[in-house]
Amino acid sequence: MLLALALASIPLWAPRFWIYIATQALIFAIFAMSLDLLVGYAGLPSFGHAAFYGVGAYACALLALGHVDGLVPLLLAGMLGAGAAALPIGALSLRTSGIYFLMLTLAFAQMLWGLAVNWTSLTRGTDGLIGIPRPALPGLDTLNVSLYDRGPFFFLCLLVAIAVFVVLESLVRSPFGKTLEGIRENDRRMRALGFPTFRYRLAAFVLAGMVAGIAGSLAAMSNGFATPDLLYWTVSGLALIAVVVGGTRSFIGPALGAFLVLFAQLGLSTYIDRWELALGALFIAFVLFLPRGLVGLVRRA
Amino acid sequence: MEVTVTDLTVRFGAVAVLDDVDLEIASGERRALIGPNGAGKTTLLNVIAGELRPAQGSVRLGTRDATTLPPWKRARLGLGRTFQRSTLFGQLTVAENVALAVRARIRGSWRFWPGGQHPVREEVGKRLEAAALAHLANRRAANIGHGEQRMLELELALAASPSVLLLDEPMAGLSGAERQSVLNRLLTLPRQVTIVIVEHDLDAVFAIAERVSVLDHGVKIADGGPAAVRADPRVQEAYIGAF
Amino acid sequence: MDVLNLAHGSFYMIGAYTAYTVVMATQNFWLALLVAPVLLAVIGAALEMVFFRRLYRHGHLPQVLMTFGFTLVFVDLIRSRFGPTTRAIPPPPGLGGAVHLATATFSSYSLFVLGIAIVIGALLVIGWRLTRLGVVLRAGVSDKEMAGLLGIDLPRTFTFTFAFGAALAGLAGVIAAPEFAIYPGMDANVLILALVVVVIGGLGSIEGALLGAAVIGLGYVIGSTLFPQFAIGLIFALMAAVLIIRPSGLLGRRS
């Protein structure tokens, strides 16, 4: 609650640039939370989650460029587009497990990246789709509130992030969430109890993909463009780092992790020429010294 | 529910782990499977439960041919089992472990919101009382004692209210008092539940079982009442050969 | 070894850049073929001993993330030393020409690559099947405790294997250098292809990896000829097909 309030006050005092950064961090936090549903709760270490982030962004962008105006349809487009991509990818990848699953999700995501680069008639290749309009807010325009202003757009992202947080938190406390945890702990036993475990995993995979798609839609609106970079494997890697740095099996951890990763990236790139190198080194150090993440550190203390 | 196994052969590579085994277990019967280590007892349970596909032969549950059904479908037909090594949900609490089994039975797992779980919690409470595990309800399953884990293991299978119960060495590694409580729990099960038990503790076997089947090197060498099986020279030979 | 090393593509990239450096300095391709594997064996061994060893018991995820960190480090190091532009080196002297076989024409360098690949593949299969190291590795992967009980020095075996794998990746990088573009980012491309090859062939099977590579190579060539824009798509369609029919790969052990 406090955190939400503190975040909500950002547009009141922060410089414009920082509002923009905080917006990006919120979007990334939504993405990281969706990934933790897989990694932490379902025990499915996906290294291809950026695929659904990217597909969501492209779906939203194509619709917005096709003159669809309206926040809900655009967010839905990202969500359903990503879900539609997650279904076949999940159905294939989930036939395997562990390290194999990780490799497959990575490979499929890179295939979609290749598709985004090569399918120029739809995606305009590496140039990407540009000039994506943000939706109008019927009723609020008269009050001079527009999503083109940073403050309102930030609030939109904050609202969506909180909604996603609440939905995911209750999801993992629900019978479905507990079933996922049971499957993570012991798939064989779950099958012996009568659970078709594959279906539950696939449902989790598609749900996580849909939430990532929402984040992708917001990213497309925020940036005003959608490029293949959104699907690149380093994006999946960054999200996984955010999840692990923050700590799995909680949603607040990955959200904080997302902020940290984004700020680390920003801070390093501002002050150091070879910032990717420094970022990589930072990640290595983190994994070596804090394999359980920040939440693990807090839990131990 | 009846369990009928016909002409069952299972091969690992070139080795026949089970060779042309037949079993006919009546509804409500308490059947023990015994035999020296490596006789194929656990393999037979795994085939009945659906985790292994036989090279040959069939498995029927009740009137239904279950030979090609996956484990979870057999569980829905009313088959429950325990495992030789405790296979619990280690990071979940004892209560959550049992709740999973209860929801498996009532098919209550496609709910995406918490709440409305009162009946499940109530049943879980009762079951933990019955298994003398109530005081551990909120402990993680990985952090309770071995004997308690074995009781929980049994309780998970029972919570699904199976009509056929496969038990794979439920007494393994338990103290005398713990064995007695497992035994008592088994003896209080409703009469219509079919039990197939694999166990090395022959006292327990003869306390529960009405009929005993003996496996040796993948072949069924004897089948009958406890007294008859005990007296069978081939059984004595197999056991002497093994120990 | 049951380790997923995303930096394996980086090893390949470093191999290619080593070839570039050596050839530019000495004009000697054969020297590069010698230097790169040695250099990468050293890098691999060092990484294994300092970093990977601490993480085996933590499961796959930390391992993978750490290697992800390494890919960022390596690609940036390469970029800082060589810049973002694409480099190329000529084929070694004597292999720049073309060879006519029946009605087809091949570059002699391609034939050379084919020859080397066959030799290395054969040596790997023989090593995996017959040498003590191969036996130890197969044992180590399936049961670490058992291997330890049998008195096998697993840490040293793992270091050696890791270094050997890195050296092979470096060697592949050198061999690829005259044929393909050398640029930062080549690591990701080759890594993904390698993953697909391993998935198709079956994890934990050298023969499977070889078969997978052959399938992918053929698939890629056929795909590029028929519909160039989506050659990659065909490869992934192949992978999907294999997964549906045999989830553990063509020659993978069934779990």
Side-chain angles (χ1 to χ4, degrees), chain C:
Chain C
M1 282 174 71
D2 201 26
V3 172
L4 176 50
N5 176 19
L6 297 178
H8 209 63
S10 309
F11 294 161
Y12 171 87
M13 176 175 69
I14 295 172
Y17 273 97
T18 308
Y20 173 76
T21 312
V22 172
V23 169
M24 286 299 126
T26 66
Q27 308 299 323
N28 192 337
F29 178 82
W30 309 111
L31 185 63
L33 210 52
L34 202 71
V35 170
V38 173
L39 174 70
L40 280 148
V42 172
I43 295 179
L47 287 184
E48 203 277 341
M49 290 198 288
V50 180
F51 295 101
F52 284 83
R53 183 165 290 179
R54 298 155 177 263
L55 286 180
Y56 290 135
R57 64 200 161 86
H58 285 296
H60 292 138
L61 198 53
Q63 267 172 30
V64 170
L65 289 180
M66 187 178 67
T67 61
F68 173 63
F70 276 115
T71 63
L72 295 181
V73 169
F74 284 134
V75 84
D76 217 25
L77 278 177
I78 289 287
R79 212 182 285 131
S80 72
R81 175 76 183 74
F82 297 95
T85 49
T86 299
R87 310 284 171 141
I89 58 171
L95 291 175
V99 177
H100 301 277
L101 282 178
T103 57
T105 308
F106 302 92
S107 88
S108 17
Y109 189 72
S110 305
L111 290 179
F112 165 72
V113 172
L114 185 68
I116 285 203
I118 290 173
V119 170
I120 292 179
L123 286 178
L124 278 179
V125 171
I126 294 169
W128 182 246
R129 294 259 148 190
L130 301 181
T131 66
R132 188 175 142 79
L133 179 71
V135 176
V136 167
L137 272 180
R138 280 179 283 164
V141 169
S142 51
D143 193 341
K144 289 188 175 131
E145 274 175 38
M146 182 57 94
L149 284 179
L150 290 174
I152 293 162
D153 185 355
L154 271 187
R156 251 171 71 193
T157 313
F158 274 33
T159 306
F160 179 79
T161 311
F162 201 86
F164 185 63
L168 275 182
L171 187 72
V174 176
I175 296 171
E179 194 81 349
F180 301 106
I182 308 170
Y183 60 100
M186 68 190 294
D187 54 338
N189 283 343
V190 77
L191 174 71
I192 302 301
L193 277 181
L195 291 186
V196 174
V197 162
V198 172
V199 166
I200 289 187
L203 220 55
S205 161
I206 296 274
E207 295 93 332
L210 294 173
L211 180 64
V215 170
I216 285 301
L218 270 177
Y220 192 77
V221 170
I222 294 170
S224 323
T225 328
L226 293 181
F227 31 98
Q229 221 182 350
F230 297 108
I232 291 275
L234 186 76
I235 288 181
F236 281 88
L238 271 174
M239 184 172 85
V242 168
L243 279 172
I244 290 167
I245 302 161
R246 288 191 60 109
S248 49
L250 290 177
L251 297 183
R253 283 164 296 191
R254 282 179 184 255
S255 50

Side-chain angles (χ1 to χ4, degrees), chain B residues 129-142:
Chain B
E129 287 292 336
L133 292 170
H135 60 293
L136 299 171
N138 294 318
R139 293 267 295 277
R140 287 189 183 198

